[in-house]
């Protein structure tokens, strides 16, 4: 049968969710083409190859749980795997799915336009030598933390030394990691102290001749608690995989940690401190997501946890003035993403490391030889930007999606604020879906666990549409409004919602990101799964299938 378009579905992005999405639909019998801007699979794990980069989910919770073959054959060597190991895993997964043949690489999508009569999308590329292609459905699997963002600093391009961004680190041509760079004779600046900054600072502190850290906002960092996984432990983990995944499924963010089912306020002081000591020394996000349940909603309980962590910082950093600068003052513990660290605070006890507090002493400009602040001038051989991403919205909005009536998605969001139905669709943009986009129920999450929820649900919907001769799926205005209001209300019920961070859409380097938005669903993954199942069983309520 001839048709007007090339593929049933186009999936943009070959990261964790894009690879699985393509595989799932291909196995269901749909014709699918994957498009990837870089030259290989892996998404953020392919690009964030900076020294010290590692996962902060327990490795054995971070894989594709649907594949027994992968679970049976891949051995994790550390509780929190390094970036090269995660990328090695994703390559093994790509082999297993035989997915590379279905992706067009080096194909950055510039624009996607909906044809209202034919009900299909036309995709155009930055590289004009790639002919446009067409598909009934387009799925953006571009990830929430992939649109690399440089800071707005005067003179950025004039620096004569080497510059790197953590989110786009040069690759080792012979391996899965970053290009080996010798920093031992270098004067290095790191700008940014989010998770990436913390990881690279603690690593470069060991080797750089001189390391100066330019910090605007300190974060509440807690110990990672990494350890090797022995073959015997790996066998035990393998035998326990079903229980591990069940445990993750039962928690709000699908990490293995779950809240203590009590309020801190109801617990005697001695017991609280005993619990805190245990959790602070436990691996991963135990101290954050495995703490008393009111610590993230009640300001007083939150203050109590924050004070505990502040004291830990004071104990670990010798110079009290430096310790004070490393303690966050403008947000409570856990209200922004927590960086997990290994010896981060002790780095500031070293003679080769200096902390520069940009609140007291802001950057004025970058010059050919270094960085000028209000109070001083510093010479550098290397500047590393650990300044993060245009998070959540950025990767979607860097593609010009043009929907019904010639509406541009960016214009719609600029005028009405970011609103979606289930984080999956936007009214006026039929047959276009986002995985882990804004307001996705699977955003504040252990990614592989939660993104699979979105992929499975969307796949069922598309297969059902295909089998029932449906050619258009569009969010309803009522559904979108309800979902937006639910996100707003839930977010406002947590302290995270009233804090400036990438999770609430704040970014000083991007125009239009100065006020907080309801960018994520704070109802938790179990509730999201339940709701999705309910909507599906009501004939995909909130979506018009025609
Ligand atoms: P983040 O968490 O967004 O951190 C970016 C850091 O860069 C943060 O400390 C920012 O300070 C700082 N920044 C950004 N722009 C500037 C300028 N112009 N001047 C000085 N400092 C600046 O990104 P990451 O890559 O560390 O981590 C992202 C996520 O990836 C992480 O949460 C994990 O989930 C994985 P600010 O806080 O804005 O004052």
């Amino acid at each position: 049968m001839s048709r007007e378009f090339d593929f049933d579905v186009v999936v943009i992005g070959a990261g964790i969710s894009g690879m699985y999405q393509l595989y799932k639909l291909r196995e269901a019998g749909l014709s699918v083409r994957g498009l990837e801007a870089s030259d290989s699979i892996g998404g953020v794990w392919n690009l964030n190859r900076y020294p010290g980069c590692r996962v902060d989910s327990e490795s054995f919770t971070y894989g594709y749980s649907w594949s027994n073959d992968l679970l049976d054959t891949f051995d994790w060597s550390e509780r929190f795997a390094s970036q090269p190991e995660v990328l090695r895993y994703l390559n093994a997964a790509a082999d297993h799915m035989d997915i590379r043949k279905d992706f067009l690489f080096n194909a950055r999508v510039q624009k996607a336009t909906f044809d209202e009569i034919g009900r299909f999308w036309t995709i155009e590329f930055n590289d004009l030598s790639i002919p446009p292609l067409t598909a009934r459905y387009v799925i953006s699997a571009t990830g929430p933390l992939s649109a690399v963002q440089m800071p707005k600093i005067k003179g950025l391009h004039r620096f004569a030394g080497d510059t790197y961004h953590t989110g786009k680190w040069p690759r080792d041509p012979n391996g899965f990691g970053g290009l080996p760079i010798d920093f031992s004779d270098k004067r290095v600046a790191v700008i940014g102290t989010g998770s990436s900054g913390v990881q690279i600072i603690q690593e470069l502190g060991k080797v750089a001749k001189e390391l100066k850290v330019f910090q605007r906002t300190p974060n509440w960092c807690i110990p990672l608690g990494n350890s090797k996984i022995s073959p015997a432990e790996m066998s035990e983990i393998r035998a326990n995989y079903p229980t591990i995944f069940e445990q993750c499924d039962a928690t709000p963010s699908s990490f293995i940690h779950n809240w203590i089912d009590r309020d801190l306020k109801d617990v005697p002081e001695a017991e609280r401190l005993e619990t805190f000591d245990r959790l602070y020394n436990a691996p991963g996000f135990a101290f954050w997501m495995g703490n008393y349940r009111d610590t993230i909603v009640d300001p007083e309980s939150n203050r109590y946890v924050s004070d505990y962590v502040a004291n830990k910082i004071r104990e670990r950093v010798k110079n009290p003035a430096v310790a004070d600068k490393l303690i966050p003052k403008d947000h409570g513990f856990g209200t922004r993403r927590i960086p997990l660290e290994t010896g981060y605070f002790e780095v500031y006890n070293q003679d080769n490391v200096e902390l520069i507090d940009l609140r007291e002493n802001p950057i004025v400009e970058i010059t050919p030889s270094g960085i000028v602040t209000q109070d001083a001038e510093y010479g550098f051989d290397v500047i590393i930007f650990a300044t993060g991403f245009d998070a959540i919205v950025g990767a979607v909005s860097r593609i010009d999606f043009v929907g019904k009536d010639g509406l541009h998605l960016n214009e719609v969001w600029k005028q009405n604020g970011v609103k979606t139905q289930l984080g999956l669709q936007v009214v006026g943009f039929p047959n276009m879906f986002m995985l882990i986009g804004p307001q996705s129920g699977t955003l504040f999450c252990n990614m592989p666990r939660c993104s699979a929820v979105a992929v499975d649900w969307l796949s069922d919907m598309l297969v059902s549409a295909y089998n029932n001769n449906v050619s258009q799926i569009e969010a309803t205005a009522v559904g979108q409004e309800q979902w937006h209001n639910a996100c707003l209300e839930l977010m406002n019920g947590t302290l995270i919602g009233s804090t400036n961070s990438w999770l609430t859409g704040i970014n000083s380097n991007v125009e239009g990101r100065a006020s907080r938005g309801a960018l994520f669903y704070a109802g938790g993954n179990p509730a999201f799964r339940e709701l999705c199942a309910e909507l599906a069983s009501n004939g995909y309520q909130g979506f018009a299938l025609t």
Side-chain angles (χ1 to χ4, degrees):
M1 187 179 75
S2 82
R3 56 183 187 187
E4 291 168 90
F5 46 89
D6 300 318
F7 297 97
D8 293 321
V9 185
V10 152
V11 176
I12 307 173
I16 289 171
S17 62
M19 287 203 292
Y20 177 42
Q21 181 65 83
L22 190 150
Y23 173 72
K24 181 106 189 180
L25 291 173
R26 186 192 72 193
E27 296 303 290
L30 275 66
S31 67
V32 196
R33 165 64 80 212
L35 304 172
E36 166 58 45
S38 84
D39 65 358
S40 73
I41 62 99
V44 291
W45 295 106
N46 183 36
L47 298 170
N48 287 250
R49 298 191 186 210
Y50 59 85
C53 181
R54 64 177 65 243
V55 66
D56 51 18
S57 305
E58 279 72 3
S59 313
F60 45 86
T61 69
Y62 201 69
Y64 290 119
S65 59
W66 48 266
S67 167
N68 284 333
D69 268 3
L70 277 168
L71 296 177
D72 287 346
T73 51
F74 194 88
D75 287 350
W76 295 100
S77 72
E78 291 178 276
R79 194 173 183 95
F80 300 95
S82 64
Q83 171 272 327
E85 182 158 306
V86 179
L87 190 55
R88 187 164 63 79
Y89 169 78
L90 291 174
N91 273 275
D95 291 342
H96 172 74
M97 293 185 263
D98 191 16
I99 206 88
R100 290 186 190 82
K101 64 179 170 40
D102 300 308
F103 272 96
L104 185 63
F105 291 100
N106 300 307
R108 182 172 289 283
V109 175
Q110 184 175 50
K111 187 174 184 184
T113 311
F114 187 61
D115 182 310
E116 288 184 58
I117 295 166
R119 297 181 160 188
F120 63 84
W121 286 86
T122 301
I123 318 283
E124 294 167 76
F125 301 89
N126 277 21
D127 177 350
L128 296 176
S129 72
I130 308 173
L133 59 83
T134 53
R136 171 74 80 203
Y137 300 104
V138 60
I139 302 175
S140 158
T142 44
L145 294 161
S146 59
V148 165
Q149 187 61 50
M150 287 295 277
K152 272 201 231 157
I153 301 176
K154 189 179 155 203
L156 203 62
H157 296 287
R158 289 169 49 218
F159 183 61
D162 295 332
T163 57
Y164 304 95
H165 192 290
T166 44
K168 212 178 168 189
W169 199 266
R171 302 178 191 180
D172 178 353
N174 303 312
F176 292 118
L179 188 71
I181 298 169
D182 183 5
F183 290 101
S184 61
D185 58 347
K186 299 279 193 292
R187 298 163 305 156
V188 182
V190 174
I191 302 179
T193 50
S195 302
S196 308
V198 165
Q199 288 187 334
I200 198 169
I201 289 162
Q202 66 196 15
E203 213 51 38
L204 294 190
K206 295 176 195 161
V207 290
K209 184 171 94 179
E210 239 180 57
L211 174 64
K212 302 224 186 301
V213 176
F214 291 82
Q215 171 192 274
R216 189 165 63 183
T217 314
N219 280 301
W220 293 104
C221 310
I222 53 172
L224 173 68
N226 196 17
S227 55
K228 295 273 182 233
I229 296 177
S230 69
E233 282 164 329
M234 193 58 229
S235 302
E236 209 177 302
I237 288 168
R238 188 160 281 133
N240 279 326
Y241 266 136
T243 318
I244 290 170
F245 293 129
E246 239 175 70
Q247 232 177 307
C248 291
D249 278 350
T251 71
S253 296
S254 289
F255 286 92
I256 204 154
H257 315 281
N258 208 350
W259 303 114
I260 297 171
D261 202 14
R262 288 171 81 184
D263 285 346
L264 177 141
K265 284 182 161 169
D266 300 333
V267 178
E269 174 93 14
E271 190 184 331
R272 285 178 192 177
L273 290 176
E274 206 176 289
T275 306
F276 279 12
D277 287 346
R278 177 174 55 78
L279 294 176
Y280 188 80
N281 293 309
F285 288 135
F287 189 84
W288 184 20
M289 299 180 177
N291 215 315
Y292 296 107
R293 64 186 172 196
D294 58 338
T295 51
I296 206 67
V297 289
D298 182 294
E300 238 179 85
S301 301
N302 185 264
R303 162 64 34 214
Y304 192 88
V305 192
S306 302
D307 287 348
Y308 176 91
V309 182
N311 283 335
K312 287 285 178 197
I313 298 172
R314 287 191 193 99
E315 278 167 24
R316 293 174 58 183
V317 179
K318 284 186 190 148
N319 182 329
V322 175
D324 195 56
K325 290 185 205 304
L326 289 163
I327 297 170
K329 309 286 186 306
D330 64 351
H331 66 282
F333 177 82
T335 61
R336 295 166 39 130
R337 189 75 145 69
I338 296 288
L340 295 176
E341 50 83 27
T342 308
Y344 174 66
F345 292 111
E346 287 74 9
V347 162
Y348 296 100
N349 298 333
Q350 296 175 200
D351 292 338
N352 62 332
V353 180
E354 187 185 345
L355 179 69
I356 291 138
D357 184 341
L358 298 180
R359 302 272 178 205
E360 285 174 2
N361 185 16
I363 294 177
V364 176
E365 65 175 330
I366 293 179
T367 64
S369 60
I371 297 178
V372 176
T373 63
Q374 196 174 277
D375 299 347
E377 184 168 353
Y378 303 92
F380 292 113
D381 304 306
V382 178
I383 300 179
I384 293 168
F385 299 99
T387 48
F389 306 90
D390 183 6
I392 307 179
V393 177
V396 179
S397 67
R398 286 182 188 184
I399 297 172
D400 183 13
F401 284 102
V402 187
K404 276 163 56 178
D405 303 322
L407 284 177
H408 292 257
L409 184 59
N410 285 326
E411 276 307 307
V412 172
W413 279 351
K414 201 170 162 186
Q415 275 167 28
N416 308 340
V418 174
K419 291 184 179 180
T420 74
Q421 162 61 329
L422 277 192
L424 207 58
Q425 266 209 311
V426 179
V427 173
F429 296 80
N431 294 0
M432 180 271 190
F433 302 91
M434 298 168 293
L435 291 174
I436 333 179
Q439 299 187 338
S440 167
T442 61
L443 183 72
F444 187 44
C445 256
N446 184 1
M447 272 317 158
R449 302 268 58 69
C450 300
S451 65
V453 172
V455 168
D456 290 342
W457 195 83
L458 177 57
S459 303
D460 286 350
M461 177 154 79
L462 294 184
V463 169
S464 154
Y466 188 77
N467 292 336
N468 291 296
N469 289 323
V470 165
S471 54
Q472 181 167 297
I473 304 174
E474 185 180 359
T476 65
V478 173
Q480 178 165 291
E481 208 51 34
Q482 280 173 350
W483 183 248
H484 176 72
N485 290 338
C487 288
L488 196 63
E489 194 178 321
L490 284 163
M491 209 182 82
N492 287 338
T494 73
L495 298 173
I496 297 176
S498 52
T499 303
N500 287 354
S501 76
W502 62 258
L503 265 170
T504 50
I506 300 295
N507 193 321
S508 67
N509 302 310
V510 185
E511 207 184 311
R513 307 260 194 275
S515 54
R516 290 196 290 270
L519 288 195
F520 69 98
Y521 167 77
N525 201 32
F528 183 68
R529 278 200 313 269
E530 232 172 79
L531 178 73
C532 287
E534 194 187 314
L535 296 180
S537 66
N538 290 339
Y540 293 103
Q541 191 186 334
F543 296 87
L545 281 69
T546 55

